[in-house]
Every structure is written in structure tokens, then in C-alpha cells.
Amino acid sequence: MHEDTGHSFNRRVRLLIEVPNQPDEIALVEELVTARGWPVREATVEERAPIAFPRTGRVVEVRLRGARRGARRAAVRRVESLASRAKAPLWVRESVLLEYPRERRTLYRARLRPPGQGTVAARRLLRFVRQIDGSHDQHALSLVGPPDRARALSELRASRLGGRPFDADREELTGPADPPDDAAPPPTAWLDPETPGGLWSLALTVAAYLLGVLLCLAVGGLVLALDTPWRWLGLLPVAAAAVAGAVFVGGPPARRPKPLALLGSAAFCGLLVYIGRMLLGEMSELGGSIALKAVIMPPAVLMALAIGYGVHWALVPSWFSRHANWLVPALLAPLLLLLPWFGRLLYTVYLTIGFGIPVESVPLTTYSMMYAALKPMAVAAGCALFFVAVAGWARHTYWGRMPGESAPTFLLPLSALQYVVTALLFGVLSAGYAWGDAVGAVRAGQTPPGYYGLRGTLMCVEPKGPDIPVYSGPLVTDRPVVTFGASGERVWLWAPSREASGSDQGRAMSVRLEDVTLTRPATADGRSCREER
């Protein structure tokens, strides 16, 4: 199978392989390796010096995508697996992961000089227009090493790239200032993981960033949970985190943040506070104290981040990402038809199977059906994304012995099957639990809790005549019954049995609206339709 590596790789492993010094065998090996998309060439004299006759050497560059750790072993394993499957005579002699050292570079930009003529307003307008139309960003130069303005000016004046030489009368050079002559040697690069100091700075920066994110999320939860004016004091550490974030964006050395960076950092922190408030609102259904929720929220956020990275590594690059421009709309189009159908199925489980009331007899809208289907489908999507993320992490860390750069082809149908099963199970089980809660509330004389916009009401039934037609009679009049509204000329009622036993929880009835009068229960506890004297 041909691997379309293209530009989808981020690791390169160069291998020296031994092959028999025979034209046919060499041609076979080169054909196999080239078919996988790996460049191959004849080894130089220095490279094949350790290989003795009757063998010769070829250099293969395996390109793959994933983590640095394990990349070399994965490349060797793929070449050896290819040789094993094709029964080809090749052996890996040496392998090395290609990585080039980072170098410090200084960027200079040639910008138009500020206008010197006209009024202040006209000059400011011209500068604003230049910023908008891109006149200030047409020429740049990147030099290796620390700032050196004289060398940059000399190189720009001598350059004829694009037929547009640097004009000192119309343009000026912007960039970092030159270091003083008596300055100390440049410090170790900040946040450089190749050095002890840089790695320590990077670890502290990541820890501070995560701490700031969790702080903003926790403040958002406290603003929702606490009912006191002092809760707004929690915004003070959020403001401090916003200022620290703006300073961090500016890079070393630490200096006063720019207004735009400060505004962006404040907006990001505000968004995190709002997300924390929404998360705590969703977690309020779980019960427990604020401390318990605060403990649960950080691991949940970290898990969500890990799932996000895993999904990215699983789908980018892959067949799905290359065809997402038409595949995503094609998958979303049937969703508008699937949501009402699935919502109607859940209402059928809740009403017809649970209470014995036909769905057609209850006033339901298409939007309420879509609303009922959203939560089960969202939970199923989260479960499916979890397994996709596991596959993405496995792909990123080269886990397993499956060759190829893309995710396994069976991942999509398995994820689709798991999505359908999870959505059905969660939806049906949640409908069953909701029915059980509603029955318990009716037996306690309370209004049953709503089910995605469908809310039952306790009513007492009084017939208008001594002999009225009742479907599934007799009509219960001594205790409250539940009705979910009427659609047409008939109304369906559900009355709990006096002694619940197994599946015999109650009975559904149907009467014409013109034959009965529905009133609220007379007693305060909602268990009787007649006041006791």
C-alpha cells in the first residue's frame, strides 16, 4: 500500500540497510521502499564502509508523524516489517533520527517612514491606511544571531530580490535594538527544552498557565455557587492572571504589556470564567459540595484537553481530514432528519412504553423532539471521541505494530457503531429513569418532573354524566391522575395503582374532553381528590 506522506510528516529517520550486491535484489528492495513513499539512494563510500562484500548499502529515509520518543524504533520496525511481508533480503544496519539544532534569528522589517507633511489628522489617517492595506509589511530580513542593525542595513541595500531595493529615503528599518558593547554574553534561550534552564523555565511556564486556567474556571464556578456580594472579589486573581498572560505573550524580558495583548488576555480569562460557570451549572445535577465539584472540575478539564489532542492526532492528517470539506456537510445533513426521529423514539419509550399513552395524543413539537435527542447523542459523541482519542494517542506514540501513517481504516465504522449503540442505550435508559422518577412523584402527590419540555400535571377527573365512554376503564375519580395535555378531542390520563407490584405501576385511560371536567387536587398533599372532613 502506498503511503501518501506528502507534507504530513514531522519526523525523519535515516536508515542504512544492507542488501545483496545483485542487480535484481537491489531493484526489488528499491521498488518496495519507493512504493511506500520513502526516498532511497545508494550509500556513499563513507556510509557503506562497514558493509563487506557480497552486500552493499542503501540509505532509506523513513518519514512519519508522531512523537519524538519511539520514532526511530517505529521506522526500523516498519522497514523490517516490510522486508518480512515481502520476504525481501534487506537488513537494517544503522538508524538515526534526523534533527537539526535550533538557531537564534533576528527579524527586521522595512516600513514606510511616517509622513512629514499635512495636518495631524491627515498623517494619522495615512498611517492607519498603511496598516490596513499592508503597505508596512512588504519587505523583511531574518538574520542569524543577535541583533545587528548595521549588517541588516548593508544586506538590504545590496539585495535585489524582487527588483525592489531598500530605499532609505522612503523606508526605515524596524527591529530589536543592538545590544551594548559591554553587554554580557546572551543568556540561554528562554523556554528552550534542550537546555536545563530552558526546560525548567518551560515547565514553570506550563504549570503557571495551567494554574491560571484552572483558577479562572474555579472562579467561574464560585461566582455561580456562592450567594454573597463577596464572590465578586474572586475576579481580582482573574485580573492578575490576565495581566500575567499579557506579559507572557510579550516575551522576555518582562515589560509593560501592550493594550492589544492585555485586551486579548482579559477576553480569554473572561471566557474561561464563563466556561467554569457553565460547567458548574451542568455539574450541579450530580449533587455534592462545592469542594467536591472543585476537585472534579480540574481533572475533567485536563481529560477534555487530552481527548482533544488525541482526536487531532487521530484525524489529522488522515483520509477524513483530506475529505472533510465534503464529508462533514454530508454527515451533518441527515442530522436534521435523525434528531426528530430519535427524539420521537425517546418520547415513545417514556409515554407509550412507560405510561401506556400514545405519542400522537400528546402535543409535541419538532423542536422538543430535537431537544430530547440532543443529550443522548452528545453523550454518545463524547464516548466515540474518547475512543478516537485513544487511537490518536496510540498513533502519536507509535503504539502497536500496524504500518501506515493514517489511522486504521476500521476505526470509522467501529466508532459509528459505538456511537449508535451508546446513543440508543443512554437515551432509552434515561427515558426509563425519568419515567420511574415521574411515577414516584405521582405516588407522593407531587407534580412529576419534566422530560425535555414534556411536563405532566396532576388532575382530578369528574365525569359530567353517569355513563360516559372510557377507553381502558373504569375511570379513576377518587385520586389524582396525570395528564400530559390533549391533542384533538380526547385526553389520555394515567392513574397509579394503589399497590405497586412489579410491572403493574398504573393504568392509562382515555376519555373525550367534553365528557369530563379536570380540576386541581383538593388536598394540599395532592393524594386525594376529596377533602376529608
Side-chain angles (χ1 to χ4, degrees), residues 460-465 468 475-477 515-519:
C460 290
V461 184
E462 182 179 353
K464 293 182 179 180
I468 63 172
L475 185 64
V476 176
T477 60
D515 294 337
V516 295
T517 301
L518 301 177
T519 59

Side-chain angles (χ1 to χ4, degrees), residues 242-499:
V243 175
V247 173
F248 170 75
V249 170
R255 53 184 178 268
R256 183 177 179 181
K258 296 182 179 180
L260 186 59
L262 188 60
L263 180 62
S265 180
F268 181 70
C269 291
L271 178 62
L272 290 177
V273 171
Y274 177 75
I275 293 176
R277 183 179 182 277
M278 298 298 295
L279 285 178
L280 190 62
E282 291 294 330
M283 295 173 61
S284 60
E285 301 178 359
L286 302 177
S289 61
I290 298 178
L292 178 61
K293 297 172 184 176
V295 171
I296 294 176
M297 186 181 297
V301 173
L302 295 180
M303 177 63 72
L305 291 176
I307 290 176
Y309 276 106
V311 171
H312 173 77
W313 287 327
L315 301 181
V316 180
S318 66
W319 180 89
F320 183 87
S321 63
R322 289 191 294 269
H323 300 84
N325 57 339
W326 65 267
L327 186 60
V328 172
L331 293 177
L332 291 179
L335 190 63
L336 297 177
L337 301 177
L338 181 62
L339 282 175
W341 175 86
F342 189 50
R344 187 179 182 85
L345 175 64
L346 297 182
Y347 280 123
T348 302
V349 174
Y350 181 76
L351 288 173
T352 307
I353 299 179
F355 291 101
I357 300 176
V359 177
E360 297 80 7
S361 63
V362 177
L364 294 173
T365 63
T366 303
Y367 298 104
S368 61
M369 295 181 185
M370 296 176 67
Y371 177 57
L374 280 178
K375 187 174 183 179
M377 296 185 72
V379 172
C383 295
L385 290 179
F386 173 79
F387 290 105
V388 173
V390 171
W393 279 99
R395 177 189 180 190
H396 183 67
T397 55
Y398 315 104
W399 180 80
R401 294 182 176 274
M402 293 178 297
E405 292 288 337
S406 301
T409 54
F410 60 83
L411 181 63
L412 185 59
L414 283 183
S415 300
L417 178 62
Q418 182 266 334
Y419 175 80
V420 172
V421 173
T422 305
L424 287 174
L425 285 179
F426 183 82
V428 172
L429 291 178
S430 62
Y433 290 142
W435 172 79
D437 295 340
V439 171
V442 172
R443 291 190 178 280
Q446 301 174 357
T447 301
Y451 181 71
Y452 298 107
L454 183 64
R455 185 173 296 276
T457 307
L458 288 179
M459 289 291 183
C460 290
V461 184
E462 182 179 353
K464 293 182 179 180
D467 189 13
I468 63 172
V470 180
Y471 177 80
S472 187
L475 185 64
V476 176
T477 60
D478 60 340
R479 59 187 183 275
V481 297
V482 178
T483 176
F484 293 95
S487 178
E489 298 179 352
R490 304 186 66 87
V491 60
W492 279 83
L493 310 171
W494 186 85
S497 58
R498 293 188 179 275
E499 294 182 1

Side-chain angles (χ1 to χ4, degrees), residues 168-221:
D169 296 333
R170 298 180 59 254
E171 298 174 320
E172 61 180 2
L173 195 64
T174 61
D178 293 349
D181 297 336
D182 57 349
T188 304
W190 188 55
L191 304 183
D192 185 4
E194 301 295 336
T195 60
L199 182 60
W200 179 250
S201 300
L202 179 61
L204 292 180
T205 301
V206 173
Y209 176 77
L210 293 178
L211 182 62
V213 170
L214 297 179
L215 173 66
C216 294
L217 293 174
V219 169

Side-chain angles (χ1 to χ4, degrees), residues 37-84:
W38 300 332
V40 58
R41 62 173 175 82
E42 183 181 359
T44 62
V45 176
E46 294 80 7
E47 291 172 338
R48 65 171 182 266
I51 303 176
F53 188 82
R55 294 181 180 177
T56 184
R58 288 294 184 271
V59 175
V60 178
E61 184 175 295
V62 178
R63 299 169 178 177
L64 33 76
R65 185 177 185 87
R68 177 194 298 176
R69 183 178 183 271
R72 187 198 58 80
R73 294 192 300 271
V76 173
R77 186 168 63 244
R78 294 183 182 185
V79 173
E80 293 178 345
S81 176
L82 175 64
S84 176

